[in-house]
Amino acid sequence: MSLTHITHCISLYTFTIFSIFYLTTLLLFLLFLFFFLMIRRPPRSTLSSSSAASDVYKRQVRQSMVGRFSMLFLVAACQHTAAQYGPDPTGVPADFLCAWRKLALEYSVKLRPDSAAMVHDALELSKYCNGTVPRAEVPPSLFPPRFNSEVSAVIVDGARGSDSNPGSVARPVKSIAAGVSRARETGAKFVDIRAGTYYMASTLVLDERDSGLTVQNFKGEEVWLSGAVPLPALNWEAFDVKNASVTAPLGSVTNAAGCGAHGVPNPPRSLSCGCQRLSSASLCAALCLNTSNCTSYTYHDPSLGAPWAAQCCQRTDGVWNPHPQSGHTSARKTPASNIWRANTGTALSNDSIVTELRVDGERRNAARYPNANPETEFWPVGYLTSKEQFVPKGDWLEPTIKPSPNPAYQVNISAPNRDWDDYFSRYGGGDQGGRGLLDPPRPFMCQ
C-alpha cells in the first residue's frame, strides 16, 4: 500500500471514530442540560408577582430555549456531516482539523513509539498544524520474550542436541517433536528451546496428552520456527550470461518512424524515441550500448540536411520495424543476460514447487524483467503497463481458464470503487477454483 493509501485509510478511520465520539458526547451533554433545566423550572402557580421571581423565571425559560436550540443545531450538524464524503467535511473549524490529528498521533505513538514520523506524515500534520516531523523513538525491546520455566523442563538444542538424550540442560534433545515426546514420558510441563532456526518438515501435533504443556524459548534466547527447506551450499554455474551487444549496422535502413513530430526530431529524453546530434554512426552505436533502456538506434547521415542531419535516434520502446532508406544506419541492441543455475541435490524433490526463496534472511523475487525488489520498488524502470508494449507484438497472453470446461469463473466487482485512487480502483474475485486454473496463473485481485 502506498503512502497515499495509508493517508486515506488513517484519516478516514480516525476522523470517523473521533467525530462519532465528539458528537455523541456533546449530544449527551446538551440532552442532560435540557432535562436539568426543565426539571428545575418552578411551576407557574408558585411564582410570585415580584420582579426578582419574574426575572428568575425568564432566565430559566431563556436557558431552556438555548438548550433546545443547541440540540436542533446539533442534529442539523450531524445530518450535514453524515452527507459528506471523505475525512474532512466542509465547514469544520481549522482548530478541530488540527486537534483530532494531534490526538490520533498521540494515541499512535503510545502504541508504536517508532511510528511517530510515519503517522505524522500520513495525517498531514505539517499542513493542518504547521508541525515539524517528530523523531522516532526506539520502542522497548519486546523480542525475544523471556518467560518463567521450571527445573524439570525438557531442553531442546538444535545445534548440539540428540534425540536420544534425556532432555536436560547438559544433554538436550535435538528436535522439538522429540522434546514434546520426552515431556509426555516425564510429565514435564515445559519444553524450552535454545536459540536457533528449527525447520519443521512435518506438522507438530499436540493432543490431550499435552494438556497444560508450554513450548517456549529458553531464557530469552531468539528462536525461529520455519516450514522452509534449508538448501546446502550450492555450486552455481553460468546458464545464460552475456554482455549487451549491438548487431551489425544495416546501411541505408531506418527504424526511426515516430522519432519526430512535424518534421522535427524528438528531444533526447522522449518517452519512446529520443534524438541528439552526434558526429558518427559508431558514436551512436556506443551511446545505445551504454544506455540501459535503449533497444535500437538509427543514425542520420550529416548529408541529409537540417533538421535531421547527424541525428542519433535511440528507441526505448522495443519497436523494430526497419525499412530501406538511403542516408540512414540502423542496428538493434541485444540486452545483457545474467542467469545462473544450481543443482539442489536431494534437498528438493523433482515435483517440489518453490514459492519463495530467502538468502541470508532476505526474500528474493522470481525471475522477471525488469529485475527489481518488489518490497521497495513499486514501478521499476522498464515496467510494462500494457500488452502493446511487449515486443514482438503478440507475446502477451491473455489468461484463459483451463481445463475447459471447469467450474471456476471470475467475478468482477464494479461497486463500490475506490474512486480516490488513480491506480487501483477495480477489484475482482473468483469462485470454484484457484488461480492455478488460469493460463498463465494469476490471482483474483486488483485488475
Side-chain angles (χ1 to χ4, degrees):
M1 180 172 287
S2 67
L3 185 58
T4 303
H5 304 161
I6 296 175
T7 303
H8 284 299
C9 293
I10 293 181
S11 299
L12 182 58
Y13 175 78
T14 311
F15 177 79
T16 302
I17 295 300
F18 282 96
S19 294
I20 293 174
F21 175 79
Y22 174 81
L23 294 176
T24 303
T25 304
L26 185 59
L27 177 61
L28 291 175
F29 172 77
L30 293 176
L31 190 63
F32 170 80
L33 181 63
F34 171 77
F35 283 108
F36 178 78
L37 294 175
M38 292 295 293
I39 292 173
R40 293 198 58 185
R41 188 182 70 177
R44 188 181 300 271
S45 58
T46 63
L47 290 175
S48 66
S49 59
S50 66
S51 176
S54 178
D55 289 342
V56 170
Y57 177 71
K58 291 177 181 178
R59 214 166 32 244
Q60 291 176 340
V61 170
R62 190 181 304 112
Q63 291 171 344
S64 177
M65 292 296 293
V66 170
R68 293 175 183 177
F69 176 79
S70 298
M71 289 182 62
L72 291 174
F73 176 77
L74 179 61
V75 171
C78 289
Q79 292 176 347
H80 177 73
T81 300
Q84 298 295 318
Y85 171 79
D88 294 319
T90 57
V92 178
D95 57 346
F96 179 75
L97 294 178
C98 173
W100 78 258
R101 285 174 165 83
K102 284 186 174 180
L103 189 59
L105 175 64
E106 180 183 348
Y107 182 70
S108 299
V109 172
K110 286 184 178 180
L111 296 179
R112 286 283 304 274
D114 59 331
S115 69
M118 179 185 69
V119 176
H120 184 280
D121 182 64
L123 293 176
E124 298 181 283
L125 279 163
S126 297
K127 171 183 177 182
Y128 289 96
C129 304
N130 295 323
T132 57
V133 179
R135 295 180 59 184
E137 298 181 14
V138 179
S141 178
L142 301 177
F143 181 85
R146 178 179 292 270
F147 303 107
N148 295 325
S149 187
E150 295 179 353
V151 177
S152 60
V154 177
I155 307 300
V156 179
D157 191 333
R160 63 184 187 88
S162 171
D163 287 346
S164 61
N165 286 343
S168 61
V169 175
R171 301 179 62 195
V173 295
K174 186 176 183 64
S175 65
I176 300 176
V180 172
S181 298
R182 193 74 73 244
R184 290 171 180 172
E185 297 171 359
T186 62
K189 293 301 180 182
F190 289 87
V191 174
D192 292 354
I193 308 173
R194 301 300 301 263
T197 300
Y198 293 79
Y199 297 97
M200 312 292 289
S202 59
T203 304
L204 179 64
V205 179
L206 303 177
D207 54 34
E208 65 277 2
R209 295 172 295 174
D210 308 305
S211 179
L213 178 66
T214 298
V215 180
Q216 62 186 20
N217 60 321
F218 178 84
K219 295 184 178 180
E221 295 184 1
E222 185 170 335
V223 175
W224 290 93
L225 306 184
S226 173
V229 177
L231 298 177
L234 301 177
N235 294 320
W236 293 92
E237 61 180 13
F239 177 74
D240 186 6
V241 179
K242 60 186 178 184
N243 295 324
S245 61
V246 176
T247 59
L250 302 177
S252 299
V253 170
T254 182
N255 187 48
C259 292
H262 307 293
V264 178
N266 291 340
R269 299 185 181 275
S270 298
L271 183 61
S272 59
C273 181
C275 304
Q276 58 183 297
R277 291 182 61 85
L278 291 177
S279 59
S280 66
S282 60
L283 290 178
C284 186
L287 179 64
C288 181
L289 185 63
N290 294 314
T291 304
S292 60
N293 60 345
C294 177
T295 59
S296 66
Y297 74 89
T298 294
Y299 183 72
H300 299 72
D301 193 87
S303 63
L304 292 177
W308 290 96
Q311 290 286 340
C312 172
C313 296
Q314 295 187 94
R315 303 201 74 101
T316 58
D317 55 5
V319 171
W320 180 248
N321 187 26
H323 59 275
Q325 189 170 0
S326 60
H328 296 73
T329 302
S330 300
R332 195 174 187 181
K333 179 180 175 180
T334 302
S337 179
N338 189 27
I339 302 176
W340 296 69
R341 66 181 177 183
N343 190 341
T344 59
T346 59
L348 299 174
S349 60
N350 291 332
D351 58 349
S352 295
I353 299 177
V354 179
T355 58
E356 183 177 303
L357 175 65
R358 289 183 177 269
V359 179
D360 297 331
E362 181 179 349
R363 182 167 69 94
R364 304 291 185 177
N365 56 292
R368 53 170 288 180
Y369 178 82
N371 191 28
N373 186 344
E375 295 182 351
T376 59
E377 298 180 67
F378 193 62
W379 299 118
V381 176
Y383 184 84
L384 301 180
T385 58
S386 67
K387 63 182 180 182
E388 285 76 14
Q389 292 179 281
F390 281 81
V391 178
K393 299 280 183 69
D395 283 356
W396 173 259
L397 298 178
E398 291 287 353
T400 57
I401 293 181
K402 70 170 188 178
S404 182
N406 71 73
Y409 62 92
Q410 186 169 342
V411 179
N412 293 321
I413 301 174
S414 58
N417 280 345
R418 293 173 50 192
D419 51 4
W420 64 71
D421 194 320
D422 295 334
Y423 288 110
F424 306 121
S425 59
R426 292 182 60 248
Y427 283 80
D431 194 16
Q432 304 297 323
R435 70 175 186 170
L437 295 174
L438 298 178
D439 182 18
R442 72 168 184 178
F444 290 109
M445 290 174 59
C446 177
Q447 300 171 346

